[in-house]
């Protein structure tokens, strides 16, 4: 029997936050349909390509995906796959399937999101063989003997657990509940651990996100935290971004930590992380492999380069590390 969740999942503010996972998925689906990058799995989470998105949005998602993947893959390679990944507020993200295809599978890949989002994702996984097959294949029992997902996973409505992939319904603002659930599913605090949050911390108050980041620093000896979200939010452009989301009842409760690259780093340095770096996405874009950037810039005509610059200057990647096992994590960069 599924355990009842200890909180209500119904208020309007949380509903608007949960809806943002569909925005991310439809934008990624559209950008991949145009050829910005390849993701053969996103189609199973967003059935149709949907409305056209502006070229600057597509380029923004390209920079986000390539930037985050660059750091994530570098961490997994440093740890020689002997590590775990925890994607916090994972939504309908497809990174687990990409890592499997690229032979970069960590020992275990965890995802956490609100229970209702997780329930949707589990339904998709169970009903779409291209999603369930890689989970069966990464199971340590001879996968040739296993034919169905139910033979190798423990699952209820709000969680699914197999040897290498685990998805958990939990509220990230309740850190002790999160810790309990992750440990129940064999989280190993001794393993080098990569924590990832993409457009997630901004929906929590600064004290809630600090608690989460502090829990991560206390729990793992060797870890890296990659956080992608808004930055430079006190200027006019930032204010318009806040107002646009507010119109959809979506409040950026954590915008105070998104004032500058320094405030992004501070959140980590104040909570037990040894190193923190942060770059705005325009800088990341200029540091990505330029032959591929030239390729994607030929995909669609961009009318207003200035708008792209403004948009990318309002998002950042911040990455923090602590490194008891001396993996050289502080050297990971662009
Ligand atoms: C903008 S979406 C991003 C999804 C995914 N990280 C990606 O980049 O595609 C934000 C996600 O964070 C989740 N989220 C936000 N606050 C959360 C919380 N307190 N507990 C659990 N999940 C949360 C939302 O449900 C949503 O799926």
């Amino acid at each position: 029997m599924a355990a009842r969740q200890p909180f209500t999942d119904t208020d309007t503010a949380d509903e608007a936050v949960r809806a943002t996972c569909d925005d991310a998925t439809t934008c990624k689906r559209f950008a991949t349909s145009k050829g910005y990058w390849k993701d053969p799995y996103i189609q199973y989470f967003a059935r149709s390509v949907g409305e056209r998105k502006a070229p600057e949005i597509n380029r923004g998602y390209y920079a986000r995906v390539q930037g985050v993947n660059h750091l994530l893959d570098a961490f997994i390679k440093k740890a020689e796959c002997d590590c775990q990944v925890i994607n916090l507020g994972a939504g309908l993200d497809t990174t687990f399937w990409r890592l499997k295809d690229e032979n970069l599978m960590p020992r275990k890949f965890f995802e956490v999101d609100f229970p209702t989002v997780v329930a949707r994702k589990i339904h998709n996984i169970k009903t779409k063989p291209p999603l369930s097959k890689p989970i069966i294949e990464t199971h340590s029992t001879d996968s040739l003997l296993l034919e169905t997902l139910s033979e190798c996973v423990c699952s209820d409505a709000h969680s699914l657990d197999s040897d290498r992939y685990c998805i958990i319904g939990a509220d990230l603002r309740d850190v002790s509940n999160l810790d309990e659930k992750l440990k129940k599913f064999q989280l190993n605090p001794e393993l080098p651990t990569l924590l990832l949050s993409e457009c997630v911390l901004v929906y929590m108050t600064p004290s809630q996100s600090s608690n989460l980041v502090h829990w991560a620093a206390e729990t793992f000896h060797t870890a890296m935290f990659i956080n992608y979200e808004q930055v430079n939010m006190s200027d006019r452009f930032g204010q318009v971004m806040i107002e646009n989301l507010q119109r959809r009842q979506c409040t950026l409760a954590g915008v105070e930590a998104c004032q500058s690259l320094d405030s992004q780093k501070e959140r980590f340095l104040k909570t037990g992380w040894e190193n923190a770096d942060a770059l705005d996405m325009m800088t990341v874009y200029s540091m990505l492999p330029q032959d591929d950037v030239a390729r994607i810039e030929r995909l669609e005509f961009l009318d207003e380069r200035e708008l792209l610059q403004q948009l990318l200057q309002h998002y950042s990647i911040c990455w923090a590390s602590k490194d008891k096992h001396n993996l050289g994590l502080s050297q990971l960069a662009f």
Side-chain angles (χ1 to χ4, degrees), residues 81-108:
C81 296
D82 197 13
C83 61
Q84 61 200 350
V85 174
I86 310 174
N87 190 346
L88 301 163
L92 305 174
D93 184 74
T94 57
T95 301
F96 165 80
W97 291 272
R98 178 183 70 80
L99 294 178
K100 158 85 171 60
D101 285 350
E102 295 181 4
N103 286 323
L104 281 175
M105 185 51 63
R107 273 220 231 158
K108 193 149 180 176

Side-chain angles (χ1 to χ4, degrees), residues 17 20-21 28 64 89-91 113-114 170-173 198-200:
V17 170
T20 62
C21 83
K28 288 177 186 172
R64 164 176 170 176
D113 209 297
F114 282 117
D171 188 333
L172 298 168
R173 295 166 296 190
E198 275 184 72
C199 290
V200 177

Side-chain angles (χ1 to χ4, degrees), residues 9 53 66 72 75 121 155 158 167 175 179 207 218 254 263:
D9 211 11
K53 308 284 184 290
Q66 303 301 321
L72 172 69
F75 175 91
K121 194 163 188 174
S155 172
H158 298 133
I167 175 166
V175 171
D179 183 74
S207 86
E218 270 197 324
S263 65

Side-chain angles (χ1 to χ4, degrees), residues 214 217-218 267-274 321-322:
H214 182 223
E218 270 197 324
R267 169 159 53 197
F268 291 94
L269 295 173
K270 280 200 304 213
T271 52
W273 292 83
E274 290 160 8
S321 60
K322 50 183 301 203

